[in-house]
Structures are given as structure tokens and as C-alpha cells.
Amino acid sequence: MNTFLQQIEQWDIHFILWVHRHHTAWADALMTAASETWTWLPLYLLLLWQLWKRRSTGLLWYLVAIALVVFLADQFTSSFMKPFFERLRPCHDAALKPYLLLPDGCGGRFGFASSHAANTFGIATFFVLLWQKQSRWIHALWGWASLVAFSRVYLGKHYLSDIVVGALVGALAACAVFYGLSVFLKKRHTTHAS
């Protein structure tokens, strides 16, 4: 392993140990809830309702695009990166596990990169790109995605680099799908107009 990767691994270990030295009962409950998909169902419904209100024309294409972002982000991290890199989750590392508090168990064996981070940052990026000119509040989705991603470190399921790379994968998937959709809708509009 080269020096750069060793340095990142050291930072990852120091950061997760620092986080786990600051566990509290209320934060355990909060981070466990933040990590659950069902917790955010009201947010997802609100985003879909707003999408329906603002984009009733072409709504189906936007729904397909959002599904594609989540599919690409999730599958790239889960089906390609985790089996390819085989980096153990912190909670599966025998040397690290005694120093971690695991209020939500451990989960799958490998953790690089985080699918939670990829999915949430993918959704956040897509909606920010879509509505950044109409709403300054849409940027609050970065806070939501960051909370979900951080909860994975707090719960001992990921290192910081796992969530940073996962976030980048999600953001790139969202950018690719959003710009692809924009080109597609523009061509479709031009075709129908002529």
C-alpha cells in the first residue's frame, strides 16, 4: 500500500475513534434513526409532491431519472466497489471493533464505498441541479445527505473515506443523469415543436 493510501487509512482510523469516544445515548438514537430509509419517507414524499407541482409536464421522465440516479449510485457502490475493493467495515475489523460502540449492529462485510452516501448525495445533487434557480432552500438537502452519511461513521459501519467516495459517486451519477435528461427533453421539445 502506498504512503498516500496509508495516510488516508490512518486519518480514517483516527476520525472514527474520535467519533466513537463521543457517543451519547441521545445521539445513538438520533444516528440510528438518521440511517434508516423509512425515517426520511416524509422528505421523499415532499420532494415528489413538489416535483409534481412544478413539473407536471414530463413528470414521468423526472421520476425515471431519479430512479436511475439511485440505481446507478447504489449498484456501482454495492455491486462493483464493495466486492472489488473488499475493504472491511470498521465494525468487522477485529483490531478496531473493541473500541467501537455499535448501537445498530454491524451489517454487511465490506464498506467501500458507502451506498447510503451515494444514494443520498445522488438525490440531493439531482434536486439541487433541478431547483437551484427557483429555491435557495433546496441546498438544505446537502445537510440532510451529510447527516445520513455521518450517521454511518457514527454507527461504525463506514470510515470517512467510504462516505466521501460514496458521496462523489452519487453526485457524479446525478450530474450525468440530470444533464442527459436535459439534453433528451430539449431534443424532444424541439422535435414536437417542429
Side-chain angles (χ1 to χ4, degrees), residues 3-170:
T3 310
F4 177 69
L5 292 178
Q6 286 175 329
Q7 183 61 63
I8 290 176
E9 188 166 349
Q10 285 305 307
W11 289 337
D12 275 342
I13 291 169
H14 288 308
F15 183 71
I16 198 167
L17 289 175
W18 179 83
V19 168
H20 282 254
R21 281 196 299 270
H22 295 86
H23 265 260
T24 62
W26 69 265
D28 288 354
L30 174 68
M31 293 300 164
T32 300
S35 199
E36 289 292 328
T37 303
W38 297 111
T39 300
W40 303 107
L41 188 58
L43 174 64
Y44 300 143
L45 292 174
L46 176 63
L47 290 170
L48 291 175
W49 177 65
Q50 284 295 313
L51 186 63
W52 177 75
K53 274 180 60 179
R54 296 173 187 221
R55 303 279 178 176
S56 56
T57 304
L59 176 65
L60 179 62
W61 295 114
Y62 286 96
L63 294 175
V64 168
I66 294 162
L68 184 58
V69 168
V70 173
F71 176 79
L72 291 173
D74 189 68
Q75 289 306 302
F76 190 74
T77 51
S78 294
S79 299
F80 172 69
M81 294 184 79
K82 286 174 183 170
F84 181 80
F85 291 104
E86 294 187 341
R87 184 186 195 193
L88 289 176
R89 291 180 188 267
C91 54
H92 282 299
D93 184 330
L96 202 54
K97 191 173 182 178
Y99 303 99
L100 303 179
L101 297 169
L102 306 172
D104 190 38
C106 193
R109 189 167 167 77
F110 303 123
F112 184 81
S114 167
S115 300
H116 275 71
N119 294 339
T120 54
F121 274 90
I123 292 168
T125 302
F126 186 87
F127 279 102
V128 167
L129 289 170
L130 183 61
W131 290 333
Q132 62 185 336
K133 292 177 182 170
Q134 290 91 12
S135 171
R136 59 184 176 160
W137 298 107
I138 197 65
H139 292 90
L141 286 177
W142 299 123
W144 159 70
S146 298
L147 174 63
V148 173
F150 177 74
S151 76
R152 307 302 288 166
V153 176
Y154 186 93
L155 295 172
K157 296 177 193 263
H158 287 289
Y159 294 103
L160 181 60
S161 62
D162 297 344
I163 64 170
V164 169
V165 173
L168 289 172
V169 168

